[in-house]
Amino acid sequence: VQLVESGGGLVQPGGSLRLSCAASGYTDCMAWFRQAPGKELEGVGALDRWGGSRVYADSVKGRFTISLENANAKKTVYLQMDSLRPEDTAMYYCAADRYCLGTSLLLTVQEYTEWGQGTQVTVS
């Protein structure tokens, strides 16, 4: 599985960005994680294979929306980020797994075996 992210950039506080992650190959659950300098990798949002179950970190609930598009046997996961804050500044990574264990684990690093290269988001 190959994951290719895009959509990062520099935005002012209160602004919006949309990240995209295109997956080649079969995937089950998918997620977005982020890592700020000096901090641990944090699960931001995740969804199951069909996009029916979605979970979010408390820090982004009501501001970020994760969604799924299936077209021509290709899956793309989006992260719409609104009302951005300086503390949202981080490298954002797309993650996927071919067999997911359950909703309760969707925001855990251990759930995922496939990772993208990351895209930088800076809110300033």
Side-chain angles (χ1 to χ4, degrees), residues 47-80:
L47 42 69
D48 66 8
R49 178 181 175 184
W50 301 274
S53 293
R54 307 181 191 190
V55 294
Y56 298 94
D58 289 343
S59 58
V60 306
K61 280 180 181 177
R63 300 188 299 121
F64 290 12
T65 303
I66 189 169
S67 61
L68 171 66
E69 179 184 77
N70 266 307
N72 300 321
K74 185 174 182 179
K75 186 182 287 187
T76 302
V77 173
Y78 301 97
L79 185 69
Q80 177 66 40

Side-chain angles (χ1 to χ4, degrees), residues 9 17 24 63 82:
L17 281 175
S24 61
R63 300 188 299 121
D82 298 317

Side-chain angles (χ1 to χ4, degrees), residues 6-12 14-20 63-65 78-84 88-90 92 119-124:
S6 61
L10 173 65
V11 64
Q12 293 183 344
S16 298
L17 281 175
R18 188 176 81 156
L19 306 183
S20 301
R63 300 188 299 121
F64 290 12
T65 303
Y78 301 97
L79 185 69
Q80 177 66 40
M81 304 185 295
D82 298 317
S83 302
L84 283 161
D88 295 318
T89 295
Y92 283 71
T119 184
Q120 178 68 38
V121 172
T122 302
V123 185
S124 177

